[in-house]
């Protein structure tokens, strides 16, 4: 971020200078090198001395770094904890992240989570917990006048989290929701799948949670993980802000001094093997651009080539003046975004990573150019101008590493936490000065391997400028990103007999006639409906949406008024579009199918397709205390439906099925009430939907009518 700010400032300065002194001479100079024009007017970087941070160690092994800053009446503390997702069992992937989430949302016995939220919001303070792959985090921010109160809360939550089961259930629900949506975004797919290609799909540095791994996590697992890793001698605390150093040390001693030292055994770090060269493809239907990601295992912070590679980042793909940006985006206009970076990992080797976002029709060409530039950087020395540009950019961004007292203390603490060279920051500028073009070439030869990379493309190959197989980079492997369904113990259904099949058929016929008979099989020429749909359980409380549906033949329009703006979906002639405050886009196939189904009201769709099912009767059951007749509809593909019928009217009172929801696969129960006659059909005007026994949403129909005249323009698709 600081480098980007610096470059934007430089470009702004260039614009002002050119406007102020436009002449033939300045124009000629600008044509040669605009960057040099800016730098020629930029003062030399002043000598910068890193402010000192005080280091203090408690008797129990907790290390504290402090820097005072009295400009604002604020205090910030954070902890780095030796923990991380690499230490969780594979069968419970997601455990450490859930622990951090519930640690904060559940609070402690003294400070329960919900009460804690209100208390902190009232004084403008924050307490947060987080988890990475090889470290955990905790932080607090507050006004200096509230320091004692917030530090007390921070210390108690960090030491004595309550882990209430209801907060774990909520966090698991949110995790399942994230899993169900993880293939919606092409960029998210690319980030996830390239890490699996770089480190291996089973590596703790690349694996991700699934429905089963989340479901396997219990409160006891959170407690055990916290108990094992969260000890004073396994963390470093950082403090910056408006305080007196000695007084702050005393406060930290009072909060954490009696926390007992525990000698923790850390398992060996996971083995990291070299990346296997490969060319991979993920089909994403609803995109018109490609996400290209490529790379291989890179370096740690202590690599001998760190500084040459650090400068090469700037030259190859670090900004507006980089080779990749200049050629791929500026000259050939092939990419929306292009970058390359050798990530120097703190705990383990990071990746050498290249990314290109380009329109589908230039996918292959963009890959070819990137490969040319990667090979070039490993065979030719960079120019003196490029070397100067990289050195200047890094030097000018260096000061922003110490933009606040907290950042100074944190830099010092990170050096100790990751066992870095204690003089790394002190010698940073001089090490940059010593790097030569020959050093960069040598580093590139030894650490960048263009022909040994994993390459991933997410997009629509039918739209590419040429097949990936013609790039000469090897055989193309298509990656299956289907989300595994959870392992669910289904209710055991008795084997069908002639008697249960006959009774099932009789009950289905009775329901068919009760709901309108032949009227169910006739699709209305046109339909208009108005309804209110309320989602019950959201972080913002219940949310209501006003929905209007217009259908005529194969054309459908759905309008929705939401708290976040109006949304329109239109289907016509096999095409589907969504128009929202974010713009307009084609509907994915599953959403288009769902929209098309909305033209068939009530139970029309079910009874139009009932011949696809085997129908049998089951033993009667009670629903909300009332005995119901029960029929079971099943297909050979595993789909099934249970219908609860009123024994007197034969109206369906409920339907159960196993469905994919926003929170993942769930047992969905729909309760039907307030039947009204529309077009000869009995249609429920009130519907309650439950997911795994919890109320999800309520739909109240206010208007439904058939045979309505409609303007053709209602169904016009976007240009």
């Amino acid at each position: 971020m600081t480098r980007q700010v610096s470059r934007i400032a430089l470009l702004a300065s260039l614009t002002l200078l050119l406007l102020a002194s436009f002449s033939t001479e300045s124009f000629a100079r600008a044509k040669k090198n605009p960057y040099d024009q800016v730098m020629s007017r930029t003062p030399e970087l002043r000598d910068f001395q890193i402010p000192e941070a005080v280091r203090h160690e408690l008797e129990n092994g907790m290390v504290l770094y402090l820097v005072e800053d009295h400009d604002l009446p604020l205090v910030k503390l954070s902890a780095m904890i030796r923990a991380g997702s690499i230490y969780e069992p594979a069968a419970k992937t997601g455990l450490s992240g859930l622990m951090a989430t519930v640690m904060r949302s559940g609070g402690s016995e003294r400070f329960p989570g919900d009460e804690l939220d209100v208390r902190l919001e009232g004084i403008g303070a924050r307490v947060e917990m987080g988890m990475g792959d090889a470290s955990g985090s905790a932080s607090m921010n507050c006004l200096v006048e509230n320091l004692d109160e917030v530090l007390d809360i921070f210390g108690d939550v960090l030491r004595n989290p309550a882990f209430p089961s209801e907060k774990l259930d909520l966090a698991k629900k949110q995790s399942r929701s994230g899993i169900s949506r993880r293939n919606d975004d092409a960029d998210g797919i690319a980030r996830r799948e390239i890490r699996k290609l770089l480190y291996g799909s089973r590596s703790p540095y690349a694996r991700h949670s699934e429905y089963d791994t989340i479901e396997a996590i219990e409160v006891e697992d959170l407690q055990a993980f916290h108990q094992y890793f969260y000890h004073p001698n396994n963390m470093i605390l950082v403090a910056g802000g408006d305080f007196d150093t000695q007084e702050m040390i005393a406060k930290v001693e009072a909060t954490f001094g009696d926390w007992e030292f525990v000698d923790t055994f850390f398992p060996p770090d996971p083995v990291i093997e070299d990346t296997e060269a490969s060319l991979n493809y993920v089909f994403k239907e609803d995109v018109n651009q490609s996400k290209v990601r490529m790379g291989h295992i890179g370096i740690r912070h202590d690599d001998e080539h760190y500084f040459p590679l650090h400068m090469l980042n700037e030259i190859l793909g670090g900004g507006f003046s980089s080779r990749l940006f200049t050629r791929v985006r500026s000259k050939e206009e092939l990419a929306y975004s292009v970058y390359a970076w050798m990530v120097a990992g703190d705990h383990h080797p990071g990746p050498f990573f290249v990314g290109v976002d380009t329109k589908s029709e230039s996918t292959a060409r963009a890959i070819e150019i990137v490969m040319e530039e990667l090979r070039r950087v490993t065979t030719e020395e960079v120019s003196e101008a490029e070397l100067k540009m990289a050195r200047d950019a890094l030097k000018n961004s260096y000061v922003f590493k110490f933009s606040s007292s907290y950042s100074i203390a944190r830099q010092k603490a990170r050096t100790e936490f990751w066992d870095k060279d204690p003089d790394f920051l002190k010698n940073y500028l001089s090490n940059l000065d010593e790097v030569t073009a020959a050093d960069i070439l040598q580093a590139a030869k030894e650490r960048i391997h263009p022909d040994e990379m994993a390459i991933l493309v997410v997009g629509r190959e039918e739209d590419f400028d040429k097949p990936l197989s013609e790039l000469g980079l090897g055989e193309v492997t298509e990656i299956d990103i289907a989300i595994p369904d959870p392992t669910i113990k289904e209710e055991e259904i008795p084997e069908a007999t002639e008697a249960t099949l006959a009774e099932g058929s009789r009950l289905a016929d009775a329901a068919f006639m009760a709901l309108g008979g032949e009227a169910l099989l006739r699709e209305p020429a046109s339909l208009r409906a108005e309804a209110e749909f309320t989602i019950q359980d959201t972080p913002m409380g219940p949310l209501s949406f006003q929905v209007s549906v217009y259908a005529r033949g194969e054309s459908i329009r759905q309008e929705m008024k939401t708290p976040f703006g109006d949304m329109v979906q239109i289907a016509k002639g096999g095409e589907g579009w969504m128009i929202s405050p974010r713009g307009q886009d084609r509907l994915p196939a599953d959403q288009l199918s769902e929209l098309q189904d909305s033209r068939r009201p009530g139970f029309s769709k079910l009874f139009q397709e009932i011949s696809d099912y085997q129908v049998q009767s089951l033993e009667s059951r009670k629903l909300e205390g009332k005995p119901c007749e029960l029929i079971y509809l099943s297909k050979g593909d595993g789909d099934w439906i249970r219908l609860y019928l009123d024994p007197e009217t034969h109206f369906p009172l409920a339907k159960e099925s196993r469905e994919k929801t926003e929170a993942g696969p769930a047992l969905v129960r729909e309760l039907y009430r307030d039947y009204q006659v529309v077009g000869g059909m009995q249609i429920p005007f009130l519907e309650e939907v439950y997911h795994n026994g919890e109320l999800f949403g309520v739909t109240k129909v206010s208007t439904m009518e058939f045979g309505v005249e409609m303007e053709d323009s209602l169904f016009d698709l976007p240009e």
Side-chain angles (χ1 to χ4, degrees), residues 329-377:
R329 176 167 175 168
S330 300
K331 289 184 178 179
E332 303 211 23
E333 299 181 345
L334 297 182
Y336 309 105
S337 170
V338 58
Y339 50 89
W341 210 256
M342 177 69 77
V343 179
D346 288 323
H347 173 267
H348 56 275
F352 170 63
F353 190 65
V354 182
V356 183
D357 295 349
T358 183
K359 58 183 182 292
S360 301
E361 295 79 8
S362 56
T363 301
R365 180 57 183 152
I367 294 173
E368 289 171 338
I369 292 175
V370 168
M371 295 301 291
E372 289 171 11
E373 291 298 329
L374 293 181
R375 293 185 178 114
R376 177 183 165 209
V377 84

Side-chain angles (χ1 to χ4, degrees), residues 247-273:
E247 289 181 3
M248 177 59 80
I249 290 174
K251 292 179 187 295
V252 172
E253 290 271 11
T255 304
F256 296 106
D258 62 345
W259 198 3
E260 292 185 4
F261 176 102
V262 175
D263 193 3
T264 304
F265 169 75
F266 286 85
D269 291 335
V271 174
I272 297 178
E273 298 180 352

